[in-house]
């Protein structure tokens, strides 16, 4: 199983176009040792001819064009991008679907709630239905391993399997109260555990920190790309960018006694990597004590173009 990080930043990317925080100002001026990042996007493959996208970021078009593996190499073969798996209906997770509207037949896996949000209240996403054969939605059941390959390669024995792990987050603010009231809350935000043969990969770019099931999914995986959005719970408040805490926004901060870095993960085989890093997070500055603290805690920090082979 090959895992490729196409984008590693939170919404808005890094530097963010309208932000003058220390990180964004520093990278623009060259004063900060940091890498530019596009918005969080991961691609996974167990077969070079077929790639699965985990979410669809607003930067998806440029991310696909920057990855030779995802390029169209033949008029007869078409694009190797065949499937999208959604972790939520957040704008940062779904806007890239509109980049895939060019008559490209796709499968989209999501919880039924996320599908209803995109198809019942957002007519813009009906543009995806123009493809031939038409777009197919597949429902991800919670806590049950299902095969991803058979819809495309019937009879395949070595394909990818997926389990949706509920993370107990909330639905996006843009969803009407009427629809929210009819949707099961456990379907709002999920983590994705992908399995190929004996290897397991867990992806969860937005973790509220509620419950314990997601930690078990981390511990049993060989690789985990996890929520690294904020360093502190009050990060945006201190930066005068918001009145909401990290946890209010559905993100477990990295620091603090109850933060991500202090979680009691089992020591052993799991390579843990933070992703979906907000532009205000001091971890982005590679000379900062926060960056050093993450590395000293045994974690890696995702960057655009990072790859893993399991």
């Amino acid at each position: 199983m090959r895992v490729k990080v196409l984008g590693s930043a939170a919404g808005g990317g890094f530097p963010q176009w309208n932000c003058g925080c220390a990180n964004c100002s520093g990278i623009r001026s060259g004063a900060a040792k940091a890498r530019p990042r596009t918005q969080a996007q991961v691609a996974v493959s167990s077969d070079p001819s077929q790639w699965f996208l985990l979410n669809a970021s607003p930067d998806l078009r440029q991310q696909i064009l920057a990855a030779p593996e995802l390029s169209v190499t033949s008029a007869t073969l078409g694009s190797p991008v065949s499937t999208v798996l959604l972790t939520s209906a957040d704008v940062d997770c779904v806007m890239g679907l509109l980049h895939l509207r060019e008559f490209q037949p796709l499968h989209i896996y999501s919880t039924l709630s996320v599908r209803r949000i995109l198809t019942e209240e957002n007519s813009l996403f009906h543009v995806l239905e123009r493809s031939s054969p038409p777009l197919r939605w597949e429902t991800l059941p919670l806590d049950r391993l299902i095969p991803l390959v058979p819809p495309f390669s019937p009879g395949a024995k070595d394909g990818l399997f997926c389990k949706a792990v509920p993370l107990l987050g909330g639905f996006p603010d843009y969803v009407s109260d009427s629809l929210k009231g009819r949707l099961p809350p456990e379907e709002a935000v999920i983590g994705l555990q992908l399995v190929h043969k004996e290897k397991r990969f867990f992806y969860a770019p937005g973790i509220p920190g509620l419950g314990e099931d997601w930690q078990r999914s981390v511990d049993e995986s060989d690789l985990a790309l996890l929520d690294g959005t904020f360093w502190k719970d009050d990060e945006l408040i201190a930066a005068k960018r918001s009145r909401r805490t990290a946890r209010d926004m559905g993100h477990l901060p990295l620091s603090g006694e109850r933060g991500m870095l202090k979680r009691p993960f089992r020591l052993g085989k799991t390579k843990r990597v933070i992703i979906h890093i907000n532009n205000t997070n001091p971890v982005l500055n590679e000379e900062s004590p926060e960056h050093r603290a993450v590395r000293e805690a045994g974690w890696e920090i995702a960057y655009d173009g990072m790859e893993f082979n399991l």
Side-chain angles (χ1 to χ4, degrees), residues 10-196:
F14 176 63
Q16 186 170 298
W17 70 276
N18 64 342
C19 183
C21 71
N23 282 341
C24 292
S25 298
I27 194 172
R28 290 190 189 104
S29 67
K33 184 180 179 181
R35 308 179 192 222
R37 286 167 162 86
T38 58
Q39 295 170 89
Q41 181 64 56
V42 172
V44 180
S45 177
S46 61
D47 176 345
S49 67
Q50 185 168 265
W51 284 83
F52 297 78
L53 300 180
L54 308 189
N55 291 325
S57 87
D59 292 326
L60 185 57
R61 178 184 178 276
Q62 71 185 78
Q63 291 166 337
I64 290 176
L65 293 176
E69 306 91 336
L70 306 184
S71 298
V72 175
T73 58
S74 165
T76 57
L77 294 177
S79 171
V81 174
S82 61
T83 305
V84 183
L85 295 92
L86 302 177
T87 61
S88 77
D90 286 348
V91 171
D92 298 339
C93 297
V94 303
M95 282 302 297
L97 291 174
L98 299 177
H99 291 304
L100 305 178
R101 70 189 186 279
E102 305 298 340
F103 304 100
Q104 169 72 35
L106 291 170
H107 279 96
I108 301 178
Y109 285 81
S110 72
T111 64
L112 183 57
S113 292
V114 167
R115 175 181 177 178
R116 291 188 61 188
I117 289 169
L118 297 184
T119 59
E120 293 182 18
E121 287 200 330
N122 293 272
S123 58
L124 185 61
F125 286 94
H126 290 315
V127 71
L128 296 170
E129 298 169 3
R130 301 183 305 170
S131 65
S132 180
L135 167 72
R136 278 183 56 183
W137 284 91
E138 304 282 355
T139 299
L140 282 172
L142 300 180
D143 291 320
R144 180 159 62 87
L145 201 64
I146 63 169
L148 295 179
V149 169
F152 312 100
S153 304
K157 297 180 179 179
D158 297 326
L160 286 169
F161 291 77
C162 178
K163 181 171 71 171
V165 179
L167 299 177
L168 308 181
F171 292 106
D173 293 340
Y174 71 81
V175 183
S176 70
D177 290 339
S178 173
L179 181 56
K180 282 182 185 178
R182 303 195 303 273
L183 301 177
E186 63 272 17
E187 293 186 0
V189 183
I190 60 171
L192 298 169
Q193 186 175 68
L194 299 184
V195 180
H196 180 248

Side-chain angles (χ1 to χ4, degrees), residues 219-241:
D219 288 340
E220 67 185 21
S221 296
D222 300 278
L223 170 68
L225 267 62
L226 304 175
D227 189 346
T229 310
F230 299 112
W231 176 254
K232 296 193 302 181
D233 197 33
D234 64 349
E235 188 169 310
L236 291 186
I237 297 174
K240 296 182 170 54
R241 302 286 295 179

